[in-house]
Amino acid sequence: MANQDDKLKKVISHSKEYGFVFPSSEIYDGLSAAYDYGQLGVELKNNIKKYWWDAMVKMHENIVGIDAAIFMHPTTWKASGHVDAFNDPLIDNKDSKKRYRADVLIEEHVEKIKIKIDKEIEKAAKRFGDAFDEEQFRSTNPNVLRRQQQIDEINNTFKTAMEQEDLAAVKQLIDDLGIADPDTGSKNWTEVRQFNLMFKTELGAVSGDAGIIYLRPETAQGIFVNYLNVQKSGRMKLPFGIAQIGKAFRNEIIARQFIFRMREFEQMEMQFFIKPGTQGEWYDYWKQYRIKWHKALGLGEDQYRFHDHIKLAHYADAACDIEFNFPMGFRELEGIHSRTDFDLSSHEEFSGKKLRYFDPESNESYVPYVVETSIGLDRMFLAVLSNAYNEEQLEDGSERVVMNIPPALAPVKAAVLPLVKKDGLPEKAREIMEDLKYDFNVFYEEKDAIGRRYRRQDAIGTPFCITVDHETLETNTVTIRERDTMTQERVAISDLHSIISHRVSMRSLLEKAK
Ligand code: ATP
């Protein structure tokens, strides 16, 4: 693959060409950062959801699911801290009328200085050859030291300004550093202001502030407010978890990189309620379980890494991300957070309702602590799709694009293909379809030469092609072609079910994730 940027472009156009993902309302030239899942995309997405749901809910006796409303009482978002603190600092360029995140402009400036340091190091490494000691060079070379000092000063000034909510100081920093609009070079900036990422709308006929409600920016709060309902009605004992899959909305200032950062997206979140003091062990448990869940898919062990948060959010006492090697590099795919009793306590305070657990063992009542796992469904989709996309050079000199989607997640499990459109082969193929369709998503196609049909199935990631030929009519056997190896085997029709089941089994994935 030429380069990573190129790969993302190819994945985007392949997705559109074959019906995985389309730009939203494309006939009106699309809407930025909104996408629609097509006929194959929805199948892949449903399979990812099922893998997550089964691993979290079905495989854990003490985890149950819910599906809460997207609209919630507005006080929810006061209590969660989103009304006051779910902000990004933004700045507009007066000439280009473009809007940027002030923190991103500053980070990009710092990144440029880092690149200069790297170049300096590269040059020295070439000059000194084997004798080069990078550590020593970093700590003694005057140019590197001067640049590193610049970086530290910028980071400190920015951090202090943000902590003191001094947006004028952030603007001053942008001016002092001479940061220009990356598109036009203009330095004619507005003031910096905080921009809340929640979408607002109005409830029914009530207008003005009283009627304002928000589209939820995360699904987690729907779980917190239902903690007691589920605990009581399900007679749940600590530790127990509540899982949910649903839409979330964030008015991201810069939304880009395809479905990686959207304004409307889907989350799969699980809040695990525990006894205070046990958060360390549960945090470790969920870190291990979640990484195993990812690795069971076989996308490559080296495609993941943990990133521990040093600067913690106001609600957390430990937090990390599972990062995935996307075409744009390692980026956050999932977050695991030890949230203490922040959310439940805050909802107690704002609602005036007790959100406690009576512990029959210790005879005391307390607000449970929470460890949460939170993964973006769309980011997971992008991880699977971009990892699956492969251009292969074949022995006969031809090329094929194959989507090596893990078979359990593949949108279509098998294509049934009569070799020719006559002699009773289509009828026989339909008979096979009829039987398989109750258990698998199967696809029928009779148009074009068989080789072309195979290629089309490779391009959408179908694990098996079943070809019905004249011999089929005599012996009740078919050839079955496997996507990754392209090997073909003649098998009895009566064996098809078990061959496909074995390969596309969700069960074996779940067993690996255990
Ligand atoms: P980021 O730092 O990338 O903005 P975040 O730390 O704000 O993400 P969380 O609030 O922890 O994200 O949300 C949990 C998960 O939801 C993320 O790990 C990610 O997979 C997903 N997610 C968050 N924002 C978006 C978005 N705008 N588009 C798609 N997925 C998202």
Side-chain angles (χ1 to χ4, degrees), residues 250 252 259-262 265 267 332-335 337 374-376 379:
R250 295 182 187 179
E252 303 274 4
I259 54 175
F260 182 83
R261 188 176 300 286
M262 295 193 286
F265 57 100
Q267 291 185 314
E332 172 177 345
L333 168 59
E334 169 157 9
H337 312 125
S374 170
I375 173 169
R379 284 194 193 173

Side-chain angles (χ1 to χ4, degrees), residues 190-423:
T190 61
E191 294 307 308
V192 176
R193 60 197 172 89
Q194 287 289 19
F195 178 78
N196 194 287
L197 297 184
M198 283 197 292
F199 282 99
K200 271 187 204 161
T201 185
E202 276 172 25
L203 189 66
V206 191
S207 73
D209 276 358
I212 284 181
I213 54 167
Y214 301 97
L215 297 186
R216 66 181 178 198
E218 61 175 30
T219 56
Q221 298 304 323
I223 294 179
F224 288 123
V225 300
N226 276 299
Y227 153 74
L228 210 56
N229 282 337
V230 174
Q231 194 269 320
K232 289 234 148 79
S233 60
R235 308 197 313 144
M236 307 302 288
K237 298 241 174 336
L238 247 52
F240 77 92
I242 306 178
Q244 173 167 229
I245 299 177
K247 290 261 181 174
F249 304 82
R250 295 182 187 179
N251 203 359
E252 303 274 4
I253 297 165
I254 313 168
R256 57 180 175 202
Q257 290 168 329
F258 193 35
I259 54 175
F260 182 83
R261 188 176 300 286
M262 295 193 286
R263 300 205 169 93
E264 172 184 342
F265 57 100
E266 231 168 322
Q267 291 185 314
M268 306 192 283
E269 295 196 298
M270 193 278 301
Q271 317 295 132
F272 201 65
F273 300 92
I274 54 174
K275 187 172 178 172
T278 62
Q279 66 269 33
E281 73 197 69
W282 284 114
Y283 177 67
D284 289 341
Y285 171 85
W286 284 109
K287 267 178 85 170
Q288 289 322 312
Y289 187 79
R290 294 304 306 151
I291 195 79
K292 264 186 132 178
W293 181 89
H294 285 286
K295 289 186 174 171
L297 283 172
L299 307 188
E301 299 264 321
D302 55 350
Q303 299 296 296
Y304 304 89
R305 68 182 190 202
F306 278 112
H307 170 247
D308 291 313
H309 291 198
I310 299 163
K311 189 173 158 277
L312 294 170
H314 58 285
Y315 53 74
D317 73 355
C320 68
D321 300 331
I322 294 177
E323 295 185 337
F324 182 78
N325 190 12
F326 287 99
M328 350 28 118
F330 277 95
R331 294 280 189 295
E332 172 177 345
L333 168 59
E334 169 157 9
I336 298 160
H337 312 125
S338 173
R339 294 178 76 122
T340 68
D341 61 355
F342 171 81
D343 304 86
L344 288 182
S345 294
S346 187
H347 285 304
E348 263 202 344
E349 190 188 316
F350 277 82
S351 68
K353 308 267 163 40
K354 288 250 172 292
L355 297 174
R356 307 266 159 133
Y357 176 73
F358 176 75
D359 191 330
E361 278 168 27
S362 62
N363 251 332
E364 49 174 354
S365 149
Y366 49 78
V367 179
Y369 269 35
V370 169
V371 172
E372 105 178 325
T373 71
S374 170
I375 173 169
L377 173 55
D378 313 271
R379 284 194 193 173
M380 186 62 201
F381 185 102
L382 182 59
V384 171
L385 206 70
S386 58
N387 187 277
Y389 183 90
N390 278 308
E391 291 170 357
E392 277 182 7
Q393 216 65 43
L394 303 181
E395 274 169 17
D396 64 4
S398 64
E399 207 183 75
R400 71 163 180 165
V401 170
V402 55
M403 296 294 273
N404 301 103
I405 300 174
L409 302 184
V412 179
K413 305 303 185 198
V416 186
L417 316 168
L419 188 62
V420 290
K421 227 180 345 178
K422 55 182 185 187
D423 305 336

